Amino acid sequence: LAKTTQPISMDSYEGQEVNITCSHNNIATNDYITWYQQFPSQGPRFIIQGYKTKVTNEVASLFIPADRKSSTLSLPRVSLSDTAVYYCLVAGYALNFGKGTSLLVTP
Amino acid sequence: NAGVMQNPRHLVRRRGQEARLRCSPMKGHSHVYWYRQLPEEGLKFMVYLQKENIIDESGMPKERFSAEFPKEGPSILRIQQVVRGDSAAYFCASSPRQGIGDTDTQYFGPGTRLTVL
């Protein structure tokens, strides 16, 4: 399984753009990059998935450089409700979540 | 379309008892995955099932734990003779398919919080 590395925590103010970068140096050719969000006492919620270049949906954007050894989740104009743990995963079906990035959004 | 359903949401057992956790996948999903999350930790993969088949149980403890996904009804994660170390949140996820060499999005349920006294 490709190992991922992401910051343990990040702080942001409301309204700012937040970028969380994940390193996955040994990503396999067939691996997709998936990001999940988890609130306390809830199951992870799918945010976005991509293979290469840029993917955008109504919630976030995902930037993947050509070498695919890293990826950046971009959350535009965060609100207090975006305070959560964000997980970057690179794998097949056996997802193993690390400790993720704990994002704290304050007024 | 209802999401992944898990029940019970909270389960309390005494040491030595059995715990049965149920998971109903999203409509149209035939692939089920079970994960365990210990306090302050990320989720860890336990087992991957399709209808009537265990595809990968490499993350399951060798003893006391078993899982099934029958032709009819929910998937069941069964823990026999529970010990305090089994206290955790157990999450189920489902996906509509699993292609070879790619990842299909897994949708997670709300989890079952097991407390062993």
Side-chain angles (χ1 to χ4, degrees):
Chain A
L1 292 175
K3 179 179 168 59
T4 61
T5 303
Q6 53 183 120
I8 296 293
S9 64
M10 295 182 70
D11 296 331
S12 178
Y13 293 109
E14 271 189 299
Q16 290 189 324
E17 177 183 82
V18 171
N19 296 307
I20 306 174
T21 296
C22 178
S23 298
H24 28 80
N25 291 317
N26 59 340
I27 187 171
T29 302
N30 293 332
D31 286 342
Y32 281 69
I33 300 156
T34 310
W35 286 79
Y36 283 86
Q37 174 193 56
Q38 187 180 26
F39 298 109
S41 301
Q42 294 187 25
R45 182 176 78 102
F46 171 82
I47 301 176
I48 197 165
Q49 183 181 78
Y51 185 79
K52 61 180 179 181
T53 64
K54 177 184 175 182
V55 180
T56 297
N57 61 22
E58 65 277 7
V59 177
S61 294
L62 179 59
F63 299 92
I64 305 168
D67 65 6
R68 303 202 328 119
K69 294 184 183 299
S70 67
S71 59
T72 298
L73 174 72
S74 180
L75 305 171
R77 297 181 298 283
V78 294
S79 63
L80 298 178
S81 63
D82 291 318
T83 293
V85 179
Y86 293 82
Y87 296 96
C88 162
L89 294 115
V90 175
Y93 55 79
L95 304 179
N96 273 311
F97 294 66
K99 295 197 173 181
T101 297
S102 182
L103 172 65
L104 175 63
V105 181
T106 55
Chain B
N1 186 8
V4 177
M5 310 286 285
Q6 290 188 251
N7 66 81
R9 294 293 309 277
H10 300 273
L11 183 61
V12 179
R13 286 286 178 266
R14 296 190 181 279
R15 282 179 297 170
Q17 292 185 319
E18 178 180 285
R20 293 172 70 89
L21 288 62
R22 287 176 291 277
C23 169
S24 296
M26 288 178 69
K27 186 176 180 180
H29 287 193
S30 58
H31 299 254
V32 166
Y33 315 79
W34 285 93
Y35 294 82
R36 177 166 64 177
Q37 185 173 32
L38 296 171
E40 308 301 322
E41 298 285 332
L43 284 75
K44 301 299 182 191
F45 167 80
M46 298 180 75
V47 61
Y48 162 34
L49 310 105
Q50 295 179 26
K51 287 282 187 181
E52 300 183 281
N53 283 306
I54 297 174
I55 306 303
D56 181 352
E57 55 182 350
S58 58
M60 289 275 271
K62 293 291 185 285
E63 298 177 347
R64 302 187 297 109
F65 285 71
S66 62
E68 63 176 7
F69 188 16
K71 186 176 180 181
E72 301 290 337
S75 175
I76 306 288
L77 179 67
R78 182 182 178 202
I79 311 172
Q80 294 178 291
Q81 300 174 326
V82 295
V83 301
R84 289 217 173 103
D86 296 332
S87 295
Y90 291 83
F91 292 96
C92 165
S94 72
S95 68
R97 67 184 187 278
Q98 184 59 52
I100 297 173
D102 68 2
T103 296
D104 206 342
T105 303
Q106 295 180 27
Y107 295 89
F108 285 81
T112 294
R113 274 144 194 87
L114 172 65
T115 301
V116 179
L117 302 178

